[in-house]
């Protein structure tokens, strides 16, 4: 049984602790403090234009489909207005356009809203209330699009004939075995599709993903014109951010992996940035690659994802070390969107090079066997066997299920601990709708998705079901943590990661003037607390704490809380044992 303890505060913050019955003691400590000097080490200022977040609200973003909470955009808006006030400041809408497949990621056009999901009026209403993020698939469009239908109908006479990548023309015949071995693919076959022309004959076109997603030749005049036309129309709808989906696959050159090719990739981003800037819109680059790639993007001023964080946190929980987390939080981009869960899964390539204590292969085995996460794959062509071999690309699992499988007796606490770490990580946090409701794996949805493991994390909630889930203590606690993250002034300031503590401890501080918020997490004993400044009745800042400790049966040996020498504990003027 789970209990939720809440404490009111003058500044509007309620410090919450989720406890397992007879396993946890919650202590609330309050004192008047002098904020004083910076802690040991050097505060790393968020100086890369993030002080004003480039006009993007520094608040939790909700990522969801238009019709997965309720039936449409109207239901979604009403649900958010009724239940998520103060908890969410931004909204990432997954594709709401007419589409022929892949959950909306095979867009027919960006100038229309799928009528089953809503109207542009619904989009406008959401954009006026929340920082809206929308999708743009740079790499491909649907074969049902007007452009590709014209391609099929008129063949070489079509004005859109150069807009698509002709396979044989690209290779000057057929690719060699060496060419196929280099290409980064997402299906167990060459990224090509043979289509029938209505005038007779066939043509091979580049197709990285499914047959419902035809690659665009972004370097052609027609491809650039299409991007300009569609993205300009989309940006005019009030979006604050445009998520560039799969843009790394858009740059293709012979003799390469045909993924994220320089300098061509920067030309694609320059074009998108030019179009976005015209409407004061920002771009978010979606790329699952080594962390150095996202650092390079951020150094050029682009918003990126922190796809490394989900598995790094599970790594820390599993191997009881904060060493890798501390390293990443010290070097990660500051202009980033942090996630634990998305509509796809937890990226594997993204953690490569960051997990030093345990090899990534060991972590992958743990995630698959211990946490029960199913992967989706990328594929590598073996020129010796002339067969495609699968490699795990992303792990599909709700984050709540992943944590619960590993720590069934402490799942709510561990889930909140993961979210608190996310909220203290540099960047703007995003929560996937299933994660917001602490959702379990949906095995039926996975079976209904015809063999795709990604359906496991795409549950469709009715309004009644979603509102019932909101009443669970773990969800209520998460919402209050969201409100805390959205409202506390410290998170608009500077961040510091203390590297002068034992490997199993994580200490992250934020400071903005006199306001501070510090997270202390013990990865050995899986407990945490946070100290935050709040204005007291006398007008002075007070240090308030919520903590979880003293587990009856810790997962490993050792003390149940961090040693006092490892953290600056407030003077205990008052205790409340709950």
């Amino acid at each position: 049984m789970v209990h939720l303890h809440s404490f009111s505060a003058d500044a509007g913050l309620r410090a919450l602790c989720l406890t397992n019955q007879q396993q946890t003691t919650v202590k609330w400590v309050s004192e008047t403090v002098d904020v004083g000097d910076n802690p040991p080490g050097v505060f790393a200022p968020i100086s890369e234009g993030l002080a004003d977040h480039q006009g993007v609200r520094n608040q939790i973003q909700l990522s969801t489909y238009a019709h997965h909470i309720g039936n449409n955009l109207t239901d979604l808006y009403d649900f958010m207005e009724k239940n998520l006030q103060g908890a969410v400041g931004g909204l990432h809408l997954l594709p709401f356009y007419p589409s022929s497949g892949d959950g909306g990621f095979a867009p027919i056009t960006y100038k229309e809203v799928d009528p089953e999901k809503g109207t542009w009026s619904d989009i406008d209403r959401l954009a006026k209330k929340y920082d809206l993020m929308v999708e743009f698939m740079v790499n491909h469009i649907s074969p049902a699009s007007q452009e590709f239908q014209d391609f099929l109908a008129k063949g070489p006479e079509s004005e859109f004939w150069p807009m698509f990548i002709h396979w044989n023309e690209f290779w000057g015949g057929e690719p060699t075995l060496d060419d196929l071995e280099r290409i980064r693919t997402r299906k167990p076959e060459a990224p090509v599709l043979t289509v029938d022309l209505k005038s007779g004959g066939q043509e091979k076109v580049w197709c990285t993903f499914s047959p419902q997603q035809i690659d665009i030749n972004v370097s052609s005049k027609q491809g650039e014109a299409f991007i300009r036309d569609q993205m300009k129309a989309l940006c005019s709808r009030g979006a604050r951010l445009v998520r560039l989906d799969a843009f790394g696959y858009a740059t293709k050159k012979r003799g390469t992996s045909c993924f994220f090719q320089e300098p061509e990739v920067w030309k694609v981003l320059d074009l998108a940035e030019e179009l976005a800037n015209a409407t004061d819109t920002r771009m978010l680059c979606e790329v699952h690659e080594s962390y150095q790639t996202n650092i390079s993007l951020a150094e050029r001023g682009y918003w990126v994802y922190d796809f490394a964080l989900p598995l790094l946190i599970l790594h820390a929980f599993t191997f009881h070390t904060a060493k890798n987390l501390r390293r990443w939080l010290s070097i990660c981009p500051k202009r980033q969107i942090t996630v634990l869960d998305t509509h796809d899964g937890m990226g594997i390539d993204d953690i490569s090079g960051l997990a030093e204590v345990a090899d990534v292969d060991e972590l992958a085995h743990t995630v698959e066997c211990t946490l029960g996460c199913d992967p989706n794959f990328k594929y590598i062509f073996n020129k010796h066997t002339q067969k495609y071999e699968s490699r795990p690309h992303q792990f599909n699992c709700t984050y709540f299920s992943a944590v619960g499988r590993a720590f069934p007796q402490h799942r709510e606490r561990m889930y909140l601990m993961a979210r608190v770490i996310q909220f203290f990580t540099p960047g703007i946090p995003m929560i996937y709708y299933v994660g917001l409701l602490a959702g379990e794996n949906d095995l039926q949805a996975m079976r209904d998705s015809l063999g795709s493991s990604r359906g496991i994390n795409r549950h469709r909630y009715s309004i009644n079901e979603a509102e019932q889930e909101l009443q669970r203590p773990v969800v209520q606690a998460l919402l209050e943590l969201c409100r805390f993250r959205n409202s506390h002034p410290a998170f608009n300031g500077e961040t510091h990661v203390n590297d002068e503590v034992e490997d199993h401890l994580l200490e992250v501080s934020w400071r903005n003037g006199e306001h501070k918020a510090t997270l202390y997490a013990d990865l050995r004993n899986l407990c945490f607390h946070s100290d935050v400044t709040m204005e007291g009745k006398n007008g002075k800042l007070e240090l308030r704490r919520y903590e979880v400790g003293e587990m009856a049966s810790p997962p490993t040996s050792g003390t149940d809380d961090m040693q006092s020498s490892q953290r600056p504990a407030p003077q205990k003027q008052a205790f409340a044992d709950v």
Side-chain angles (χ1 to χ4, degrees):
M1 183 174 180
V2 173
H3 298 290
L4 181 69
H5 303 285
S6 176
F7 303 91
S8 298
D10 296 334
L13 170 67
R14 284 184 288 174
L16 298 168
C17 293
L18 192 68
T19 69
N20 293 323
Q21 190 172 26
Q22 296 180 344
Q23 287 187 319
T24 304
T25 298
V26 180
K27 295 180 179 179
W28 177 250
V29 184
S30 176
E31 72 162 333
T32 301
V33 300
D34 179 1
V35 176
D37 297 328
N38 291 345
V42 179
F43 267 91
I46 303 177
S47 57
E48 302 171 14
L50 198 58
D52 61 358
H53 301 88
Q54 292 186 323
V56 179
R57 201 176 318 186
N58 183 20
Q59 294 188 0
I60 307 294
Q61 296 183 351
L62 172 66
S63 176
T64 184
Y65 293 91
H67 59 315
H68 279 205
I69 299 179
N71 296 319
N72 49 46
L73 290 166
T74 297
D75 286 350
L76 175 62
Y77 180 87
D78 291 343
F79 175 83
M80 294 179 68
E81 286 293 283
K82 179 181 178 181
N83 301 291
L84 304 184
Q85 290 295 315
V88 170
L91 175 64
H92 168 216
L93 274 182
L94 291 155
F96 51 85
Y97 326 107
S99 171
S100 60
D102 194 24
F105 282 89
I108 297 172
T109 178
Y110 296 92
K111 296 182 178 181
E112 299 176 17
V113 177
D114 182 344
E116 292 186 1
K117 298 180 175 69
T119 66
W120 282 119
S121 295
D122 295 317
I123 298 296
D124 293 341
R125 182 167 63 156
L126 287 164
K128 290 176 180 177
K129 184 63 184 290
Y130 304 97
D131 281 355
L132 181 65
M133 184 193 304
V134 296
E135 296 276 348
F136 189 80
M137 278 58 79
V138 178
N139 181 68
H140 53 258
I141 62 168
S142 167
S145 65
Q146 174 188 341
E147 293 77 13
F148 196 72
Q149 286 299 304
D150 192 85
F151 174 96
L152 295 177
K154 300 177 182 178
E157 301 303 316
S158 169
E159 64 177 302
F160 301 109
W161 186 256
M163 181 175 159
F164 302 96
I165 304 173
H166 301 262
W167 183 256
N168 290 345
E169 181 181 326
F170 179 88
W171 296 109
E174 291 289 341
T176 66
L177 295 181
D178 286 336
D179 289 329
L180 292 175
E181 192 172 44
R182 293 188 190 99
I183 299 174
R184 181 163 174 165
T185 58
R186 292 300 310 278
K187 54 187 178 182
E189 57 189 0
V192 60
L193 180 68
T194 301
V195 297
D196 296 320
L197 302 177
K198 294 181 181 179
S199 58
Q202 294 181 324
E203 186 68 19
K204 291 182 178 180
V205 294
W206 197 296
C207 179
T208 298
F209 296 95
S210 76
Q212 293 302 314
Q213 294 157 302
I214 310 299
D215 288 31
I216 297 171
N217 183 359
V218 297
S219 63
S220 68
K221 292 182 179 179
Q222 292 80 359
E224 179 179 331
F226 172 81
I227 292 174
R228 285 185 177 277
D229 177 58
Q230 297 284 320
M231 191 169 171
K232 182 179 179 181
L234 185 60
C235 288
S236 68
R237 292 294 181 173
R240 295 299 305 134
L241 284 160
V242 173
R243 178 183 183 271
L244 299 180
D245 177 76
F247 80 94
Y249 291 94
T251 51
K252 303 173 177 69
K253 289 194 297 188
R254 289 180 60 179
T256 74
S257 66
C258 295
F259 180 84
F260 205 88
Q261 294 305 305
E262 300 178 84
E264 288 79 5
V265 70
W266 305 117
K267 295 179 181 178
V268 174
L269 290 174
D270 286 344
L271 171 60
E273 185 176 35
E274 172 195 336
L275 298 170
N277 285 346
T279 55
D280 196 27
T281 305
R282 307 291 172 248
M283 293 183 301
L284 173 64
C285 301
E286 186 265 347
V287 55
H288 282 284
E289 189 53 73
S290 67
Y291 69 92
Q292 292 98 334
T293 301
N294 279 321
I295 288 178
S296 296
L297 284 162
E299 286 175 346
R300 288 175 175 255
Y302 298 110
W303 283 87
V304 297
Y305 274 108
D306 186 352
F307 284 135
L309 195 60
L311 286 183
L312 277 178
I313 291 178
L314 287 180
H315 177 283
F317 288 174
T318 303
F319 298 105
H320 310 296
T321 175
K323 182 178 178 181
N324 302 314
L325 261 179
R326 294 207 308 251
R327 178 191 174 212
W328 175 237
L329 268 57
S330 297
I331 68 171
C332 69
K334 306 303 184 291
R335 188 178 292 117
Q336 65 176 358
I337 302 295
T338 67
V339 296
L340 296 186
D341 41 12
T342 69
H343 62 284
D344 280 332
M346 297 175 279
I348 298 169
D349 293 333
D350 311 87
I351 197 178
S352 180
L354 292 174
E356 297 177 340
V357 173
D359 187 83
V360 172
D361 290 340
E362 183 180 353
L363 175 63
H365 176 79
T366 299
V367 171
E368 290 187 61
C369 299
T370 304
L371 306 185
C373 301
D374 295 319
N376 63 52
F377 299 98
K378 60 182 179 182
Y379 295 87
I380 306 296
F381 181 77
N382 186 325
K383 68 179 181 181
H384 301 293
T385 63
Q386 297 189 29
K387 294 181 179 179
Y388 283 87
E389 301 172 353
S390 63
R391 299 285 190 276
H393 177 61
Q394 297 164 328
F395 288 118
N396 298 122
C397 185
T398 76
Y399 214 77
F400 188 69
S401 289
V403 170
R405 183 74 175 265
F407 310 100
Q409 293 182 334
H410 311 291
R411 63 185 313 177
E412 291 88 357
R413 175 191 300 138
M414 299 309 300
Y415 185 65
L416 290 180
M417 186 174 180
R419 288 298 179 187
V420 169
I421 293 172
Q422 179 193 5
F423 291 176
F424 273 79
T425 296
I428 295 179
M430 175 183 285
I431 302 181
Y432 186 54
Y433 76 102
V434 177
L436 186 76
L437 299 175
E440 303 272 10
N441 285 340
D442 189 335
L443 300 179
Q444 183 59 49
M446 183 176 68
R447 289 189 286 267
D448 293 344
S449 60
L450 303 177
S452 172
S453 59
R454 293 185 297 178
I456 201 169
N457 193 27
R458 300 184 180 184
H459 182 73
R460 293 189 63 172
Y461 293 89
S462 68
I463 293 296
N464 287 338
E465 182 184 8
E467 290 188 336
Q468 288 176 2
E469 294 300 298
L470 283 176
Q471 304 310 311
R472 294 164 56 202
V474 64
V475 178
Q476 287 292 309
L478 177 56
L479 291 176
E480 290 302 322
L481 286 171
C482 290
R483 294 182 176 107
F484 156 64
R485 174 58 178 79
N486 288 345
S487 61
H488 199 280
F491 293 103
N492 288 315
E494 303 169 342
T495 184
H496 171 258
V497 179
N498 189 353
D499 207 33
E500 299 178 2
V501 294
E502 295 181 31
D503 286 352
H504 66 283
L505 303 177
L506 177 67
E507 180 182 323
V508 185
S509 298
W510 285 81
R511 178 169 180 161
N512 181 16
E514 292 188 333
H515 290 280
K516 292 201 303 184
T518 302
L519 169 66
Y520 304 95
D522 186 335
L523 279 306
R524 175 183 296 164
N525 298 296
L526 305 180
C527 56
F528 69 97
H529 72 261
S530 183
D531 293 340
V532 300
T533 53
M534 299 191 314
E535 186 175 340
K537 294 181 179 180
N538 59 1
K540 294 183 179 181
L541 288 182
E542 294 180 353
L543 194 63
R544 304 289 178 91
R545 169 179 299 173
Y546 66 92
E547 61 183 9
V548 179
E550 299 184 8
M551 291 182 290
S553 301
T556 60
S557 61
T559 60
D560 291 330
D561 197 4
M562 284 178 273
Q563 299 295 325
S564 59
S565 61
Q566 301 295 341
R567 53 173 169 77
Q571 182 179 355
K572 297 182 179 180
Q573 296 183 345
F575 281 94
D577 291 328
V578 181

